[in-house]
Amino acid sequence: MATLLEARALTAGYGGPPVLHGVALAVEEGGVTALLGANGAGKTTILRALCGMIAASGEVRFAGERIDGLPTEAIARRGIAHVPDGRGTFAELTVEENLRLGAITRRDRAAVAADLEGALTLFPRLRERWRQQAGTLSGGEQQMLAIARALLLRPRLLLLDEPSFGLAPLAVREVFGALARLRAEAGVAMLLVEQNAALALDLADRACLLETGRVVLQGEAAALRRDAAVRRAYLGR
Ligand code: ATP
């Protein structure tokens, strides 16, 4: 498989001392890479640096081209969609309005309609909630809405920040089931930040373990699942 995203020597922070210290990671075309690590390790910061939300040094290649230093909108246009922690949907707007906003930069109306239909097929609950305000949706539905909205950018890569956060077990299963289908059926690649390591390693084919802004272990997800230290610290066995 070809590499879709490759970051090297990524260093970034928020104005003070760097939070990331020379991170290297990769996502294969159509693959899922999980980013694991304790609270504060810098997982969210990696996603922010990759999508251009915060300044970073280092090299980022997407589909063979350098994207580091590009503005967020340009990175999004190339096919990287960020589903931030907290989901970033507009609470006062309806499901429909949130989804239409996701496609606001697109002019290909027929294709937008088809993508909208695709997103609603993936998340049938959003069709049921079409005219409901996003703020009144359940946590799981809000997460579905955030992912569906990102899909309207037709991404090749989704940056997902803790899609299971705060969700009931059933909702987690629904969201992760949809992510697995999205990958299998549409070939969308993902960089997945997730506190629930078992869940993340089930979906992922590769994983990186982050400690205080450094990748301390990376490899095939199956290998990390067997790793004694990972099992002790992250899988609770
Ligand atoms: P969590 O699971 O708790 O979100 P994380 O691995 O995603 O952890 P980050 O959110 O990337 O970690 O945070 C890494 C470090 O950067 C932390 O020390 C955090 O306090 C700091 N940090 C995060 N966001 C900001 C910000 N907006 N301004 C200043 N410091 C920040």
Side-chain angles (χ1 to χ4, degrees):
M1 260 267 178
T3 302
L4 179 62
L5 178 91
E6 188 172 22
R8 282 194 205 144
L10 203 61
T11 294
Y14 299 91
V19 168
L20 304 178
H21 307 272
V23 166
L25 58 83
V27 184
E28 302 292 297
E29 196 94 54
V32 177
T33 296
L35 269 177
L36 309 178
N39 284 326
K43 306 178 297 295
T44 294
T45 304
I46 291 182
L47 300 191
R48 289 179 181 152
L50 291 174
C51 72
M53 256 174 81
I54 59 170
S57 66
E59 200 177 302
V60 183
R61 279 177 197 277
F62 183 66
E65 289 175 29
R66 290 282 292 265
I67 59 162
D68 46 271
L70 292 181
T72 318
E73 311 79 57
I75 292 174
R77 244 184 326 224
R78 300 233 179 164
I80 300 183
H82 183 209
V83 183
D85 55 348
R87 301 166 190 141
T89 51
F90 296 99
E92 307 296 319
L93 301 185
T94 64
V95 166
E96 174 181 11
E97 288 161 345
N98 268 283
L99 289 175
R100 296 212 182 277
L101 269 180
I104 201 155
T105 57
R106 290 177 59 182
R107 291 287 162 266
D108 47 344
R109 292 172 98 193
V112 168
D115 290 347
L116 198 53
E117 196 49 40
L120 293 175
T121 304
L122 190 65
F123 297 115
R125 273 156 169 279
L126 295 181
R127 203 191 296 274
E128 294 162 20
R129 310 269 175 226
W130 193 237
R131 304 223 180 270
Q132 193 171 321
Q133 280 189 331
T136 66
L137 297 174
S138 72
E141 289 162 351
Q142 287 187 28
Q143 187 61 59
M144 293 173 201
L145 178 59
I147 297 169
R149 189 179 61 172
L151 291 178
L152 290 174
L153 290 167
R154 286 213 164 176
R156 290 173 72 185
L157 174 69
L158 276 179
L159 306 177
L160 295 161
D161 203 341
E162 302 232 20
S164 81
F165 188 79
L167 302 193
L170 195 63
V172 172
R173 229 176 304 149
E174 236 179 296
V175 168
F176 273 73
L179 292 177
R181 280 205 304 286
L182 191 59
R183 177 211 193 162
E185 291 162 18
V188 177
M190 303 172 199
L191 182 59
L192 171 67
V193 167
E194 184 49 67
Q195 281 289 325
N196 184 334
L199 196 62
L201 289 173
D202 275 346
L203 182 66
D205 43 274
R206 293 194 61 79
C208 298
L209 182 59
L210 205 67
E211 272 175 21
T212 55
R214 290 181 174 82
V215 174
V216 292
L217 187 63
Q218 68 174 307
E220 289 187 12
L224 263 78
R225 218 181 288 124
R226 287 191 301 266
D227 183 273
V230 171
R231 291 172 74 92
R232 248 194 330 272
Y234 297 99
L235 298 174
R237 52 192 120 126

